[in-house]
Amino acid sequence: MRHVIALDVGGTGMKAALVASDGELLHQARRATGRERGPEAVVESILDFAAELSAHGAEHFGVPASAAGVAVPGIVDADRGIATYAANLGWRDVPLRDLLATRLGIPVALGHDVRTGGLAEGRIGAGQGTDRFLFVPLGTGIAGAIGIAGRVEAGAHGFAGEIGHIVVRPGGAPCPCGQVGCLERYASAAAVSEAWAAACGDPDADAADCAKAVASGDPNAVRVWQDAVNALADGLVTALTLLDPRTLIIGGGLAEAGETLFTPLREAVRGRVTFQKLPTIVPAALGDSAGCLGAGLMAWDLLTTTDGTEVTA
């Protein structure tokens, strides 16, 4: 069974799979990153995990993996295969693609975690069949993936899609990026959690609790939620004015609130557009498997020629 290795590296854990050419997940596994032991230990954990996956594939499917795809957080130079910077993992300028290729003896693709997840959502998830989409996961922060004809645009320097740092509230809350009033300070799951904890007086309350309170009609929760929705709509309208996507795919923790988020968000975006074409706004379809699936797609792309013919050697 011909297959590739797909690895999605997060701040504290790693998700991995062996993926067949038709997208079937032949084997799945998880590991801790070991970040408490330092950045060098994280890199070694990734290399060891990938080697274990390679050995598993050779033993159970008769052939070694043909390629590998790896998604990592932070700043990524995908062209050079370098994990440039990740605050949560403490690394700088790690030549991860070459390290993995040397350990595994196969071609390796390295990508940014959000763009990799966006690749999967665009090709086989909520954006399937759409020529232009914007994927926006609302988690601890907010990022974006710009999808164009089955690919995801990284930008000239690897920073394309950083919608979370669009300033939506000038003079507002300071952001770790150095600006003030950034979108993710108002509309991320972390921002909603912080605002709702302050409003309800429970330091342990989070965005999911706020969504439940909204559904039950709590006026304080409705106010906190609507503030976040308004900020998100402001940022999205700026993005769609620049990018003109056909579909907006919203994922991450806040999207788990379902229509508690999507009904007011669609209304808020609709109320802000003037000359722009209103995109379809849909929830992400792949959940936390998007990164792994996208990593698998990147790996298979390495084995496909420009005319779509699969490389067999």
Side-chain angles (χ1 to χ4, degrees):
M1 174 71 73
R2 199 154 181 251
H3 62 278
V4 297
I5 295 169
L7 186 56
D8 180 17
V9 179
T12 59
M14 299 181 283
K15 299 185 287 290
L18 299 179
V19 187
S21 58
D22 62 358
E24 180 185 358
L25 300 180
L26 303 172
H27 169 70
Q28 297 182 72
R30 292 177 182 252
R31 292 283 188 283
T33 60
R35 67 174 183 173
E36 69 281 354
R37 293 183 284 119
E40 292 81 8
V42 173
V43 173
E44 198 57 42
S45 294
I46 294 170
L47 297 176
D48 289 345
F49 193 20
E52 289 176 27
L53 292 162
S54 178
H56 181 96
E59 179 182 350
H60 289 84
F61 304 114
V63 291
S66 299
V70 185
V72 297
I75 299 170
V76 180
D77 185 337
D79 290 340
R80 297 169 59 214
I82 295 174
T84 305
Y85 174 70
N88 287 339
L89 296 174
W91 64 29
R92 287 183 181 273
D93 299 323
V94 178
L96 195 56
R97 183 182 64 193
D98 289 349
L99 291 172
L100 281 163
T102 298
R103 175 71 72 93
L104 301 174
I106 55 177
V108 176
L110 181 70
H112 180 270
D113 55 355
V114 172
R115 288 194 288 272
T116 302
L119 178 68
E121 284 289 352
R123 286 198 197 171
I124 61 176
Q128 188 171 8
T130 300
D131 58 344
R132 298 286 193 279
F133 70 87
L134 177 63
F135 169 56
V136 181
L138 309 173
T140 303
I142 299 177
I146 303 164
I148 304 171
R151 302 280 175 177
V152 173
E153 172 60 41
H157 307 95
F159 296 152
E162 289 291 346
I163 183 176
H165 298 289
I166 289 176
V167 173
V168 294
R169 299 291 179 265
C175 179
C177 80
Q179 298 187 118
V180 295
C182 289
L183 175 61
E184 70 175 39
R185 294 295 293 119
Y186 297 91
S188 63
V192 174
S193 295
E194 181 181 341
W196 177 234
C200 73
D202 179 0
D204 296 322
D206 61 14
D209 297 323
C210 185
K212 292 174 185 175
V214 170
S216 68
D218 184 308
N220 280 332
V222 170
R223 174 184 54 79
V224 168
W225 195 259
Q226 193 61 52
D227 285 347
V229 167
N230 288 339
L232 180 57
D234 288 340
L236 290 176
V237 170
T238 297
L240 69 88
T241 301
L242 292 171
L243 302 173
D244 188 27
R246 202 173 305 279
T247 305
L248 281 174
I249 305 169
I250 309 298
L254 281 194
E256 294 175 7
E259 287 307 311
T260 299
L261 173 67
F262 284 93
T263 295
L265 180 60
R266 291 186 184 110
E267 180 180 342
V269 172
R270 188 180 300 112
R272 284 164 169 74
V273 298
T274 53
F275 66 90
Q276 306 94 333
K277 292 294 185 181
L278 186 67
T280 303
I281 302 177
V282 299
L286 302 177
D288 71 354
S289 65
C292 249
L293 291 167
L297 291 171
M298 288 195 306
W300 282 113
D301 283 352
L302 289 175
L303 304 172
T304 304
T305 61
T306 55
D307 64 359
T309 303
E310 189 174 314
V311 178
T312 57

